[in-house]
Amino acid sequence: MTNYIEIQKNCFFFINSKLSQFPTLIYNLTQLGDALIFLSFLTIFIVYAPKVWECLLSALLVSVIFSSLLKNLFAVPRPAAVFDTTSFTIIGKTLSGHNSLPSGHSITMFTILTALLFGLMPKKLPNKILWCFFIISTGIILVFTRVGVGAHYPLDVTTGSIIGYISGLIGIFISRKYKIWNWINQKKYYPIFIVLFLISCLVLVTKIRHENLIIFYFSFISIVISLIKISTIYAKK
């Protein structure tokens, strides 16, 4: 465990010092590691791309299992539990537990991005290349915000990204083979999503009251738009 931390110590301090120069930006972006925040931007896909959500649900369940098992297995102390907290920048809440490896936020981010990568893959080769580049670049930027806020080591987020990618692939396989979520695109089940969206809105309001972050407002607006759309479609059923 000591070697794991020592081999990336300098890298951690370097990345943290560079990214922490943009505290507001990286603190907002790192919130996308919260499934509620990231998924709120994708709620409209329940109407327009339900297959993506079929993959997402399976993949996220797999990712939760991986994250829980591996965090308990490795029990690596977080940076704030090892280093002097005055030697690097911490943005937001100070996390000092022994659950640093792998990064749960990174797993969530790459699980969702992997489902989007394959679920919305363009047909033409040039567009495929651009889409892959965009998704991978976005993922790398997002996961390293965890280092920028002082919550994880570089290898934590790298490992989390790989696990997230694997979780995404497993989720895609499960959803295609077993069809357990194919009820999502049936309008008669829309009331379930309406209730979930309303609950999510309440949770987001609580988050906004606790931390007045712009990304929470965007998440809230996204869910409200989806809520109106789904409610309208259901009312016309």
Side-chain angles (χ1 to χ4, degrees), residues 108-227:
T108 299
M109 290 171 179
F110 255 88
T111 298
I112 295 173
L113 287 171
T114 300
L116 293 177
L117 174 65
F118 293 101
L120 302 177
M121 183 70 75
K123 294 182 179 180
K124 295 183 179 180
L125 181 59
N127 293 335
K128 284 185 178 181
I129 295 173
L130 289 174
W131 179 240
C132 290
F133 176 78
F134 170 74
I135 290 292
I136 294 171
S137 300
T138 299
I140 291 172
I141 292 170
L142 291 180
V143 299
F144 275 95
T145 61
R146 302 305 295 160
V147 182
V149 299
H152 283 284
Y153 309 102
L155 287 179
D156 293 346
V157 301
T158 302
T159 305
S161 301
I162 294 170
I163 294 171
Y165 179 71
I166 294 171
S167 298
L169 292 180
I170 294 174
I172 292 170
F173 170 78
I174 291 173
S175 65
R176 289 179 177 176
K177 185 173 179 61
Y178 297 104
K179 311 290 184 183
I180 57 178
W181 307 109
N182 59 358
W183 53 268
I184 288 176
N185 64 351
Q186 299 179 37
K187 294 179 183 178
K188 65 180 180 180
Y189 294 112
Y190 277 12
I192 295 175
F193 297 111
I194 292 171
V195 172
L196 289 175
F197 290 177
L198 287 170
I199 294 172
S200 298
C201 285
L202 293 175
V203 174
L204 283 168
V205 169
T206 302
K207 285 181 174 290
I208 290 170
R209 292 180 63 183
H210 181 64
E211 288 185 293
N212 194 29
L213 298 178
I214 190 170
I215 197 164
F216 293 159
Y217 287 96
F218 286 141
S219 297
F220 181 81
I221 293 170
S222 296
I223 291 182
V224 169
I225 291 172
S226 299
L227 179 60

Side-chain angles (χ1 to χ4, degrees), residues 49-70:
K51 292 294 182 183
V52 170
W53 267 89
E54 291 179 26
C55 297
L56 278 172
L57 291 175
S58 295
L60 287 169
L61 288 174
V62 173
S63 73
V64 168
I65 295 172
F66 277 142
S67 181
S68 300
L69 290 176
L70 295 176

